[in-house]
Amino acid sequence: MRAPRIVALPGVYRPRSDTALLREALAGLSQRGPRRWLDVCTGTGALALAAHGLGAPDVTAVDIAPRAVRNTRLNALLNRARLRVLRGDLFAPVTGERFDAIVANPPYVPTPHGSRRTRGSEAWDAGPDGRLVLDRFCTEAADRLNPSGVVLLVQSSLADPARSAAMLAAGGLRVREAGRHDGPLGPIAAAREDFLRRTDRLPEEGAARESLVVLWAERPGPDRP
Ligand SMILES: C[S@@+](CC[C@H](N)C(=O)[O-])C[C@H]1O[C@@H](n2cnc3c(N)ncnc32)[C@H](O)[C@@H]1O
């Protein structure tokens, strides 16, 4: 499979290491042949297009930012890919629908109260604990899955992945870690190092590091009890 060509318009999240880590896990998931895919928080559409490139026959991409929706439509055109691209808040544009695979790289960087919003900051700003979008996603995702369907979620260790795992499990999903990358803080978190230390998201002293974690959360079904 050729990698899709991805253009990032100004103010839209340029695919980074979290995107790449989730894309690796997505390749494993595609071998199970899920038909209906949903990429929530799609940005440039990089993950939706990766799924399409891996043979997914029915892919929907959702983002709350109009420029991300335009960007994903542009990338779909550039790659001659048929995607359904919708604007809205998390699952709102697909109310009543269910999917075999849901992938998400939502905003997860802890953000001090009163931080000034900048162009594109909806891609990473996620409230003081980093969970403004994550909590809602983890509460709602299970009900959007078909039996045997899988959620793939990437987030930082700065925003409590154990809480995401517990919330997904509370929705009846079987959860495991499907990828991890340890490294220095990303650029946005690095600019907030003092805040992260003050609020115990980083140790008081020592190197400032984070892990990116991919969670695989699966709904039991007839073929996978
Ligand atoms: C970290 S970026 C990920 C982009 C892309 N999926 C990737 O991995 O490169 C997060 C995206 O989530 C979108 N977003 C933020 N809050 C959202 C919400 N409540 N519902 C849908 N999309 C949201 C942002 O506009 C941004 O495009």
Side-chain angles (χ1 to χ4, degrees):
M1 183 213 53
R2 252 199 10 231
R5 182 177 163 212
I6 300 295
V7 169
L9 298 177
V12 178
Y13 188 82
R14 187 173 294 279
R16 299 198 185 138
S17 50
D18 48 4
T19 319
L21 192 65
L22 189 50
R23 196 168 43 221
E24 281 170 29
L26 184 150
L29 173 56
S30 79
Q31 287 166 9
R32 288 172 45 156
R35 294 194 60 76
R36 295 205 76 209
W37 289 68
L38 174 65
D39 175 18
V40 196
C41 301
T42 196
T44 57
L47 294 167
L49 284 163
H52 179 272
L54 288 163
D58 178 349
V59 183
T60 299
V62 168
D63 202 285
I64 202 164
R67 60 183 160 253
V69 168
R70 284 196 296 275
N71 199 153
T72 298
R73 290 192 176 131
L74 170 67
N75 281 326
L77 268 178
L78 287 176
N79 290 280
R80 297 168 190 240
R82 280 186 54 154
L83 299 184
R84 181 169 68 141
V85 188
L86 304 173
R87 181 186 168 224
D89 181 15
L90 287 185
F91 298 104
V94 291
T95 302
E97 298 185 39
R98 287 180 187 261
F99 298 86
D100 304 311
I102 299 176
V103 302
N105 178 9
Y108 53 69
V109 182
T111 307
H113 271 304
S115 283
R116 204 166 57 84
R117 294 186 61 171
T118 54
R119 186 163 76 163
S121 63
E122 70 276 3
W124 50 80
D125 281 356
D129 60 0
R131 300 203 51 92
L132 204 61
V133 179
L134 275 168
D135 276 351
R136 287 198 295 128
F137 176 85
C138 292
T139 307
E140 293 174 29
D143 283 344
R144 306 307 176 130
L145 279 180
N146 282 324
S148 307
V150 172
V151 168
L152 278 178
L153 166 70
V154 67
Q155 68 163 97
S156 163
S157 56
L158 299 171
D160 199 353
R163 180 175 163 91
S164 297
M167 292 180 82
L168 291 164
L173 307 185
R174 270 197 310 263
V175 188
R176 65 178 172 85
E177 195 174 299
R180 178 178 281 265
H181 175 79
D182 303 313
L185 297 183
I188 312 287
R192 298 177 182 167
E193 186 178 330
D194 287 351
F195 164 75
L196 293 168
R197 290 197 194 274
R198 260 198 334 270
T199 52
D200 296 331
R201 292 176 202 291
L202 284 174
E204 249 174 61
E205 290 174 3
R209 297 177 69 78
E210 69 179 316
S211 302
L212 294 174
V213 179
V214 176
L215 296 178
W216 173 300
E218 181 166 348
R219 187 164 175 196
D223 45 334
R224 291 173 194 275

